[in-house]
Amino acid sequence: MTAVRFAGISKTFGDIVALQPTDLDVASGQFLTLLGPSGSGKTTLLNICAGYLAPSAGCVIVGDKDVTRIPARARNMGMVFQNYALFPHMTVFENVAYGLRVRRIDRAEIERRVTDTLAMVQLGGFGDRAITRLSGGQQQRVALARAMVIEPDILLMDEPLGALDRQLRKDVQLEIRRLHIARPRTTIYVTHDQEEALVMSDRIAVMRAGRIVQAGSGRDLYERPLDVFVARFLGESNLIPGIVASLDDGTAGLRVDGLTKPIEGRATQGLCLHQPAFALIRPESVRPIADGIQATVVERVYLGEIIALRLRLPNAQELWCRRFAAEIPDSPTQAIGWDRAAVSILPELSPEERNQVLC
Amino acid sequence: MAGRVALSTFAALVGAFLVLPILAVIPAAFNASSFIRLPPEAWSVRWWSVFFADPSWRRALFTSLQVATLACGLSVILGTAAALGIARLGGRTRQIALAVFVGPVIVPVIVLAVALYSLARSAGLVGTVTMLAIAHTMLALPYVALNVGVSLAALDPRLAMAATGLGASPARVFRTITLPLIMPGVIGGAVFAFVTSFDEVVLSVFLAGPQVKTLPVRIWEEIRVEYTPLVAVAATIMIGLALAAAAASRLLQRRAA
């Protein structure tokens, strides 16, 4: 079942297009992440969903109700802000209770729900604390509790972990994931951090320049990116430029200067024969092969059980390779190759985006 | 080192220049003789009893308190509303609105006084507490608007967004989030407004009537006739009230913060 549907939603500020007409469905109970660099329109889309911004066109449908003209305060959405936006003059308890008091829920019920929610985010016993006496991680959890306690139709989060240090961020990511699995709520999460997106999401929508470039599971996006932008944004990638030399039935061959044989791989939508394209080979797919391409080792990075090699191909193209240490002989040159199934041939821009650029 | 001493001495002298005339008034109020002499030859509270026994002085003090309280209340309400409105404006409109609201402080008070006098005369409001309060509000309102504006600028707009998102109406957001958080600015503005009204003399001279005059107007009248320690008593009361207002605001601001 669809919990939220964005239909033709767009937003312009004067001459600036913050969001191109966008369609997106979020299934009930799904954790969807809007992933993209700053200025890609992800926060705009989130704020339109919350009702903080009115779209220039299109509508937002929650359940089967069009909420486009319903003000933020009547939408029943729980928002977690980037800087938490906790009320500094209230205690932890009062912050979490705020939305319930607004809803005129009786005292005993408020007490019970706030206490339960604080326990859920592991802040039991913190109710009387002043907000200013909490650490960043604790403040983040108060913000989460405040948004969840009202049983929102949709939980919205705008880069909520940005202010935390790296280790804490990892802990909180897993905690949010656990909370979501224990009690799935429809969630829209905004981040520019690909790892965060991969850890937490059921589905990821990659955004760029006010558009959703591709939406799918983390695995889909990693293994079958539609274009170079998505490939670069998720995970590490080797992208080798060339010219499409053959194209048939889902397979493409890419002619690359300085390599004797074209690189073959799965053809992605939008390729044209004799046009420039890229071969995507993930570093973990590059491996030693007895009769492979002779590559020079430019750099060898020891990462514990993994070794990363920066290799130079005969055409001066560089490639990263990540293998278990035991697989890599200690020599200045390596014969390397890859499985055809692990290679994608990609256009620089997805067909849809190319249309945008041409328009 | 010598430079440091010289600088400290200079700073102390400037400080004395600013504070001594104010401090000199206080002993003068406790003078036993009929003339202001410094230091007093004999200490006495004689002039204090004369002050409070004289109905014209008592009335002036009461009028001043009445006018200052009214002007303070009015300018706090209007000034806070103005600051909230201005904070929502952008660009040029904001500049213009700011200029309009700060205008009365920049315009020479005598010009304002003449303008208000003719207006008050045609409305038959000369010599009323109402007119004095309205006139003082014009001078006090900008201080409230500026003070509250500073507090508002420091307020994260996302707090109001968060409260709205949790279902609060605009009125509730104002009452439970915005107002408590800008309270230090409101209190500071209120004290400024009260003190501004309490020691305002130019507008008051124009707008006062035979029965309704503020303390500064009464002082001014007094010293044109004779220079008695009564004036010092009145001045000491004014200093005391100003200090009390400042102290109260510090206390309230600390509690609000």
Side-chain angles (χ1 to χ4, degrees):
Chain A
M1 205 191 101
T2 303
V4 197
R5 162 168 296 166
F6 297 97
I9 285 287
S10 69
K11 181 70 186 175
T12 51
F13 296 99
D15 294 339
I16 299 156
V17 180
L19 198 62
Q20 306 272 3
T22 296
D23 297 304
L24 180 68
D25 285 7
V26 187
S28 183
Q30 188 175 66
F31 194 116
L32 173 105
T33 295
L34 301 174
L35 174 67
S38 58
S40 58
K42 53 197 196 305
T43 297
T44 304
L45 190 56
L46 196 75
N47 282 332
I48 287 172
C49 185
Y52 294 132
L53 270 182
S56 304
C59 51
V60 183
I61 293 148
V62 174
D64 49 11
K65 204 162 125 209
D66 183 344
V67 301
T68 317
R69 313 228 170 281
I70 293 179
R73 72 186 182 93
R75 283 200 192 181
N76 197 37
M77 298 199 184
M79 177 86 158
V80 180
F81 290 83
Q82 191 168 13
N83 66 346
Y84 320 134
L86 296 175
F87 308 133
H89 57 304
M90 296 182 189
T91 60
V92 168
F93 184 95
E94 284 307 318
N95 263 276
V96 179
Y98 192 88
L100 299 178
R101 293 211 197 286
V102 170
R103 285 166 176 71
R104 301 185 183 287
I105 287 166
D106 75 69
R107 205 171 282 262
E109 171 83 1
I110 290 178
E111 180 84 32
R112 189 183 62 72
R113 277 167 70 174
V114 172
T115 310
D116 287 356
T117 311
L118 283 176
M120 193 172 68
V121 295
Q122 295 171 23
L123 283 177
F126 279 70
D128 293 332
R129 289 277 186 103
I131 291 303
T132 44
R133 286 182 45 223
L134 297 181
S135 69
Q138 289 167 338
Q139 291 190 11
Q140 203 282 329
R141 282 180 279 163
V142 175
L144 194 59
R146 185 177 68 179
M148 289 197 305
V149 77
I150 61 169
E151 298 291 338
D153 294 335
I154 306 157
L155 189 58
L156 306 172
M157 297 196 238
D158 187 6
E159 308 223 14
L161 310 185
L164 304 181
D165 65 55
R166 193 174 156 72
Q167 188 51 48
L168 194 54
R169 203 155 63 209
K170 286 194 163 177
D171 294 346
V172 181
Q173 279 170 23
L174 290 173
E175 197 173 317
I176 291 176
R177 183 70 192 152
R178 272 196 295 271
L179 285 172
H180 181 73
I181 290 171
R183 169 85 208 282
R185 304 163 197 270
T186 311
T187 304
I188 303 179
Y189 188 99
V190 161
T191 184
H192 62 265
D193 182 320
Q194 50 129 337
E195 186 190 311
E196 213 166 282
L198 289 171
V199 170
M200 293 191 287
S201 323
D202 298 320
R203 193 157 156 252
I204 300 171
V206 179
M207 295 190 71
R208 175 199 192 182
R211 293 190 52 254
I212 294 175
V213 182
Q214 188 177 0
S217 68
R219 191 166 183 167
D220 284 346
L221 298 180
Y222 186 80
E223 291 179 358
R224 297 171 195 283
L226 283 181
D227 66 12
V228 167
F229 176 76
V230 177
R232 280 218 180 94
F233 217 88
L234 271 104
E236 293 182 32
S237 42
N238 295 305
L239 288 156
I240 304 170
I243 301 288
V244 180
S246 64
L247 187 60
D248 60 333
D249 210 25
T251 320
L254 192 76
R255 198 178 65 241
V256 177
D257 279 349
L259 295 187
T260 45
K261 280 192 294 182
I263 299 176
E264 296 197 321
R266 192 181 49 249
T268 309
Q269 264 194 331
L271 291 178
C272 302
L273 209 56
H274 310 307
Q275 290 298 309
F278 291 81
L280 166 67
I281 310 169
R282 298 287 185 187
E284 66 273 19
S285 305
V286 178
R287 60 186 174 89
I289 287 178
D291 56 348
I293 303 168
Q294 282 299 317
T296 320
V297 178
V298 182
E299 199 174 358
R300 184 182 283 263
V301 184
Y302 179 73
L303 301 167
E305 78 273 32
I306 299 275
I307 282 191
L309 296 179
R310 184 147 65 92
L311 302 167
R312 183 172 294 146
L313 301 186
N315 65 344
Q317 168 78 41
E318 289 189 350
L319 275 190
W320 280 98
C321 158
R322 292 163 72 97
R323 306 303 305 176
F324 284 113
E327 295 175 80
I328 304 287
D330 191 12
S331 78
T333 58
Q334 302 281 339
I336 52 137
W338 44 78
D339 293 333
R340 205 171 80 176
V343 179
S344 297
I345 310 295
L346 303 173
E348 173 145 33
L349 295 173
S350 64
E352 224 180 308
E353 194 149 8
R354 198 158 43 211
N355 288 340
Q356 288 288 336
V357 174
L358 290 177
C359 298
Chain B
M1 192 63 207
R4 223 186 134 78
V5 170
L7 188 65
S8 309
T9 312
F10 180 67
L13 281 173
V14 174
F17 168 69
L18 290 173
V19 173
L20 277 182
I22 300 170
L23 291 183
V25 165
I26 298 172
F30 294 94
N31 199 341
S33 81
S34 302
F35 306 98
I36 292 187
R37 282 229 178 76
L38 274 175
E41 286 153 354
W43 295 90
S44 160
V45 290
R46 169 184 160 203
W47 291 104
W48 288 76
S49 24
V50 174
F51 180 92
F52 283 106
D54 182 338
S56 81
W57 281 106
R58 274 208 318 257
R59 218 181 312 125
L61 176 59
F62 181 67
T63 304
S64 266
L65 287 172
Q66 238 182 333
V67 169
T69 307
L70 275 172
C72 173
L74 260 176
S75 52
V76 162
I77 293 168
L78 296 177
T80 304
L84 288 166
I86 290 170
R88 282 168 177 245
L89 299 175
R92 238 185 133 65
T93 336
R94 185 197 195 117
Q95 299 300 321
I96 294 167
L98 260 176
V100 167
F101 277 94
V102 180
V105 181
I106 297 163
V107 171
V109 185
I110 190 74
V111 174
L112 202 62
V114 171
L116 279 177
Y117 179 69
S118 67
L119 210 75
R121 248 174 65 117
S122 53
L125 283 172
V126 174
T128 60
V129 168
T130 316
M131 191 62 217
L132 281 167
I134 291 173
H136 287 183
T137 299
M138 290 184 66
L139 287 186
L141 189 153
Y143 291 113
V144 178
L146 288 175
N147 251 296
V148 175
V150 169
S151 283
L152 272 177
L155 185 68
D156 182 352
R158 275 175 290 200
L159 296 179
M161 279 169 74
T164 304
L166 290 166
S169 62
R172 191 180 187 118
V173 173
F174 179 73
R175 185 165 52 80
T176 58
I177 308 294
T178 313
L179 188 58
L181 291 172
I182 60 171
M183 210 29 135
V186 175
I187 293 168
V191 169
F192 256 113
F194 189 89
V195 172
T196 299
S197 162
F198 204 76
D199 75 9
E200 203 289 323
V201 68
V202 180
L203 294 178
S204 307
V205 164
F206 275 75
L207 298 170
Q211 290 306 306
V212 176
K213 53 190 71 156
T214 60
L215 199 52
V217 175
R218 182 70 186 77
I219 292 175
W220 189 67
E221 282 182 359
E222 182 76 10
I223 58 169
R224 285 174 61 193
V225 183
E226 51 180 342
Y227 191 43
T228 65
L230 270 176
V231 172
V233 170
T236 304
I237 290 175
M238 293 185 64
I239 294 170
L241 269 168
L243 288 179
S249 88
R250 284 299 283 273
L251 217 71
L252 286 171
Q253 279 175 334
R254 201 171 306 158
R255 198 155 6 123

